[in-house]
Amino acid sequence: MKYRNMEDCINDLEQHGHLIRVKEEVDPHLEMAAIHMKVHEAKGPALLFENVKGSKFQAVSNLFGTVERSKFMFRGTLEGVQRVMAVRDDPMKALKTPFQHVRTGLAAWQALPKQKSISLPVSAQEIQISDLPLIKHWPMDGGAFVTLPQVYSEDPDKPGIMNSNLGMYRVQLNGNDFELNKEIGLHYQIHRGIGIHQAKAVKKENH
């Protein structure tokens, strides 16, 4: 099964008993994380927090809390991804038996980012960082974090999908000396992917 958006995923999980809705107001400052950790430790369901204090947006957590649930969500695409990764690890295998890997090529093509012209509700409005659920996980954290975001960047010298980078980099939304709604913190390795893109962008800006 392929999901069009996160709402499709949430509805599918709920219909199959993999998600519950938390309707009571929950504070994103430590309380949400505490609930999440208890449910995760118990190998419980995914959680949809419908009423996040101080935010107009809902928040979902524990999606990947169990291997069983992860396989369930990707049940329609997991086999194709496994074939792509196998060919990536051993490209000669595909060259030796090209006709056996036609589906693998199709799976790889479908995995590429695609531009959509459809206007979605979430993209039809401009939001501020302060509008989001600012979830602080641990008392000693510097601020609120997003732990598994998808961060997309392109090479400033060679823009486009083929020279892009899509990774999960821990994002700090507020705290420290950040100016809210203007600055965030992004945790990544400077010698790989997005770090190289940033170094090139800074160099171009300084020249």
Side-chain angles (χ1 to χ4, degrees), residues 78-134:
L78 182 58
E79 183 181 345
V81 172
Q82 290 173 329
R83 288 198 305 269
V84 172
M85 297 307 295
V87 169
R88 178 185 174 185
D89 293 339
D90 186 6
M92 292 304 296
K93 185 183 295 185
L95 294 176
K96 292 176 183 177
T97 55
F99 294 107
Q100 294 180 15
H101 289 85
V102 172
R103 290 173 59 199
T104 302
L106 179 60
W109 178 80
Q110 290 176 334
L112 291 173
K114 295 175 178 62
Q115 186 172 357
K116 298 278 189 177
S117 58
I118 301 174
S119 178
L120 300 174
V122 71
S123 60
Q125 57 181 317
E126 182 174 328
I127 65 171
Q128 300 289 322
I129 295 295
S130 56
D131 295 330
L132 300 173
L134 298 178

Side-chain angles (χ1 to χ4, degrees), residues 150-165:
Q150 294 185 51
V151 182
Y152 177 83
S153 65
E154 293 187 0
D155 189 322
D157 297 329
K158 301 174 183 177
I161 290 175
M162 299 313 294
N163 293 298
S164 65
N165 181 80

Side-chain angles (χ1 to χ4, degrees), residues 14-35:
E14 185 177 31
Q15 290 169 9
H16 290 86
H18 289 289
L19 178 142
I20 61 173
R21 296 172 182 264
V22 180
K23 299 184 180 298
E24 295 81 9
E25 182 182 75
V26 181
D27 196 330
H29 182 80
L30 305 181
E31 185 181 17
M32 283 179 66
I35 294 171

